Amino acid sequence: ATQTSANLVDVSFASSAVGYALDATGGLQLTTNGGASWRTLDPGTTTPADAVAALPGNAVLLVGPVGVFRSVAGGRFNPVGGAVNRARLSDIDVAGAAAFAFGSRALILSTNGGAKWKAVRLPLTNKKGSSSIVIDSVAFTSASSGLLLDAQSRLWQTRNGGRSWGEVLSTGTSGGTSLAFSDPRH
């Protein structure tokens, strides 16, 4: 049990012992003993975040509703600068050293613990850089390979970090809501 009575919106564990819990009011908690006890942290945000991710290398990210906040080695959470601080984001997917933060119309990638981010091209992007795709979920197995589920339950796959996407027609359902990988093949 965490130290909050609010509903939890996300959890992320860096190891079997170290984990973070984010509640609906923006409260953030840390455990260093696998959940036996928790302590409250200051997330440093004025608006409750939508997601939390513990990354390899001692970095923790808070995502959304606008931008990304980052803490390293237990330090203070600070907003990540650049274009990412204006991006509307709601969730994050971690694949090894890569982190993909996304919202309904944005997908960004960091390969350096969340310090710097770059935009990932979406499926059906036209020559002007615009796409009609609305993102429901993403799941990546590396910085280059992953899937994107759009709001029309269409599944898209990339093997080159979003430079190109192909629609996967054999999903077996038209009612998908989210994606997850347990490993690169499952």
Side-chain angles (χ1 to χ4, degrees):
T2 62
Q3 293 183 358
T4 182
S5 59
N7 289 333
L8 294 181
V9 294
D10 202 11
V11 296
S12 181
F13 278 78
S15 68
S16 60
V18 178
Y20 297 84
L22 178 67
D23 72 30
T25 66
L28 182 65
Q29 296 175 50
L30 164 70
T31 183
T32 56
N33 56 16
S37 64
W38 295 83
R39 73 178 168 98
T40 301
L41 301 176
D42 179 6
T45 62
T46 56
T47 304
D50 293 322
V52 60
L55 302 179
N58 232 2
V60 180
L61 304 176
L62 294 174
V63 174
V66 178
V68 176
F69 283 73
R70 179 176 183 255
S71 169
V72 177
R76 179 176 176 78
F77 282 90
N78 294 305
V80 176
V84 70
N85 69 2
R86 294 183 306 278
R88 297 202 176 278
L89 306 167
S90 58
D91 209 346
I92 189 163
D93 183 58
V94 178
F100 291 85
F102 63 96
S104 63
R105 299 253 183 211
L107 176 60
I108 57 176
L109 163 67
S110 175
T111 57
N112 63 357
K116 293 189 179 183
W117 295 81
K118 69 176 188 173
V120 175
R121 185 179 168 274
L122 297 178
L124 304 179
T125 297
N126 63 25
K127 291 180 181 179
K128 294 181 180 182
S130 178
S131 175
S132 61
I133 294 291
V134 176
I135 301 169
D136 270 357
S137 183
V138 301
F140 281 78
T141 59
S142 69
S144 58
S145 294
L147 296 169
L148 180 148
L149 180 65
D150 72 20
Q152 295 177 326
S153 294
R154 293 169 69 185
L155 186 64
W156 301 89
Q157 181 176 32
T158 184
R159 292 192 173 128
N160 57 17
R163 287 189 300 280
S164 65
W165 294 86
E167 187 174 2
V168 179
L169 299 174
S170 60
T171 59
T173 182
S174 62
T177 58
S178 65
L179 300 169
F181 281 101
S182 60
D183 61 56
R185 303 185 122 237
H186 302 95

